């Protein structure tokens, strides 16, 4: 397999409940020291690791992340919803991970310091998210890690929200930042270069070799997202000239790519 980084999306999230210690630990166990995760703020301004804007899908409670306090988050179960698939690399069957919880950003940064390259997505539009995240990143020594090219340990920051990238890069100019978007075009390339981003991250189903070549010529690194359960999208990303992709099932993806 050529130099193409498989980034465990929310950890090994096909095999274990997403964005939990269980999913990140399993990713490392399977040999994937790059993982992507999502950070948002609680109602009382604490950074927690969760993808959706609601807690309903991945916990045993309901409500908006932004309207839930840290005390409530610490009481939530983040594993009861998950049934380990029979072909998974982790625990299989119902009640596979009954004790998983929602970690804070501090929890993650402390646990994986020196062990992983974290691709940290600023998930919400909260104006304080970048600053709160920076405080934790600084506390746990992540701002001194390798950045930008998936070397582990290291740090890359990403977001779909351009204004979050503006805030974050102003606070952490030495950290590689990448813009998540649907597809690369001339306007997005110009905006990314003008802001000083390191990367631009299109949907794998909309990526083209030409657009990646254009991005590379502008000095931008390209990796993809949006593989979902599509082996075709994985192969497309691999052949496109991208340097890597996020994927929920990195172990299976590795087997597929090694057979190409």
């Amino acid at each position: 397999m050529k130099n193409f980084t498989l980034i465990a999306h929310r950890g090994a999230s096909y095999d274990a409940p997403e964005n939990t210690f269980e999913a990140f630990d399993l990713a490392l166990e399977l040999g994937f020291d790059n993982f992507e995760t999502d950070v948002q703020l609680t109602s009382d301004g604490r950074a927690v690791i969760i993808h959706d804007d609601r807690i309903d899908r991945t916990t045993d409670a309901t409500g908006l992340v932004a309207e839930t306090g840290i005390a409530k988050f610490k009481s939530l179960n983040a594993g009861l919803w998950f049934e380990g698939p029979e072909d998974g690399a982790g625990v299989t069957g119902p009640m596979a991970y009954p004790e998983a919880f929602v970690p804070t950003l501090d929890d993650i940064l402390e646990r994986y310091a020196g062990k992983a390259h974290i691709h940290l997505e600023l998930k919400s539009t909260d104006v304080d998210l970048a600053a709160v995240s920076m405080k934790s990143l600084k506390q746990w020594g992540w701002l001194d890690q390798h950045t930008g090219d998936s070397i582990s340990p290291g740090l890359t920051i990403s977001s779909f929200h351009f204004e979050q990238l503006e805030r974050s890069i102003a606070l952490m100019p030495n950290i590689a930042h990448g813009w998540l978007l649907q597809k690369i075009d001339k306007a997005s390339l110009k905006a990314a270069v003008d802001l000083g981003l390191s990367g631009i991250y299109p949907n794998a189903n909309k990526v083209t070799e030409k657009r990646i070549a254009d991005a590379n010529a502008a000095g931008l690194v390209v990796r993809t997202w949006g593989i979902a359960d599509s082996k075709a999208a994985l192969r497309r990303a691999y052949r496109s000239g991208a340097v890597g992709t996020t994927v929920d099932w990195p172990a299976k993806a590795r087997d597929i790519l090694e057979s190409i």
Side-chain angles (χ1 to χ4, degrees):
M1 190 169 75
K2 68 182 180 184
N3 187 22
F4 185 86
T5 303
L6 292 170
I7 303 164
H9 184 235
R10 308 178 205 167
S13 57
Y14 176 81
D15 308 283
E18 66 181 61
N19 281 334
T20 63
F21 280 175
E22 287 80 358
F24 300 130
D25 286 352
L26 184 57
L28 289 175
E29 184 183 318
L30 293 170
F32 299 95
D33 59 8
N34 273 252
F35 51 75
E36 182 267 359
T37 191
D38 310 281
V39 64
Q40 300 189 61
L41 296 186
T42 65
S43 62
D44 40 1
R46 293 287 298 278
V48 290
I49 299 299
I50 192 167
H51 176 272
D52 297 3
D53 61 357
R54 299 188 63 87
I55 63 177
D56 305 39
R57 179 176 63 86
T58 56
T59 80
D60 55 342
T62 61
L64 290 165
V65 171
E67 294 178 0
T68 305
I70 190 63
K72 176 70 176 286
F73 263 102
K74 290 190 172 181
S75 74
L76 297 178
N77 185 291
L80 294 177
W81 67 278
F82 184 84
E83 182 169 332
E86 288 303 316
D87 61 343
V91 183
T92 61
M95 292 291 288
Y97 296 93
E99 297 181 1
F101 62 90
V102 178
T104 64
L105 178 58
D106 286 325
D107 291 334
I108 292 293
L109 297 177
E110 179 183 18
R111 187 177 183 90
Y112 301 109
K115 297 178 181 176
H117 189 114
I118 291 184
H119 299 256
L120 184 67
E121 182 181 340
L122 303 177
K123 197 68 194 178
S124 75
T125 57
D126 193 303
V127 295
D128 296 321
L129 181 57
V132 172
S133 298
M134 182 187 72
K135 186 176 178 182
S136 291
L137 289 163
K138 185 175 182 180
Q139 177 183 346
W140 298 106
W142 284 80
L143 297 185
D144 301 319
Q145 298 277 24
H146 203 91
T147 190
D149 56 8
S150 299
I151 290 174
S152 178
L155 172 68
T156 301
I157 293 174
S158 65
S159 187
F160 280 97
H161 308 297
F162 195 77
E163 67 276 11
Q164 285 293 34
L165 294 171
E166 290 177 314
R167 295 184 192 109
S168 183
I169 204 166
L171 292 167
M172 298 174 277
N174 296 326
I175 298 301
H177 286 73
W179 185 12
L180 294 155
L181 36 59
Q182 286 295 328
K183 62 182 181 179
I184 300 170
D185 58 25
K186 288 182 179 179
S188 60
L189 281 182
K190 183 178 187 308
V193 170
D194 288 349
L195 183 57
L197 299 181
S198 302
I200 194 163
Y201 306 157
N203 187 311
N205 293 288
K206 299 180 180 181
V207 73
T208 66
E209 291 183 41
K210 172 67 167 63
R211 288 304 191 192
I212 289 184
D214 291 344
N216 292 162
L220 296 165
V221 170
V222 180
R223 65 98 164 151
T224 68
W225 60 277
I227 298 293
D229 59 357
S230 171
K231 294 177 182 178
L234 174 68
R235 294 189 186 100
R236 177 175 178 146
Y238 180 69
R239 291 174 173 141
S240 69
V243 299
T245 192
T246 53
V247 61
D248 296 345
W249 28 278
K252 292 179 184 229
R254 178 171 56 198
D255 291 342
I256 292 166
L257 297 184
E258 284 177 346
S259 69
I260 291 179

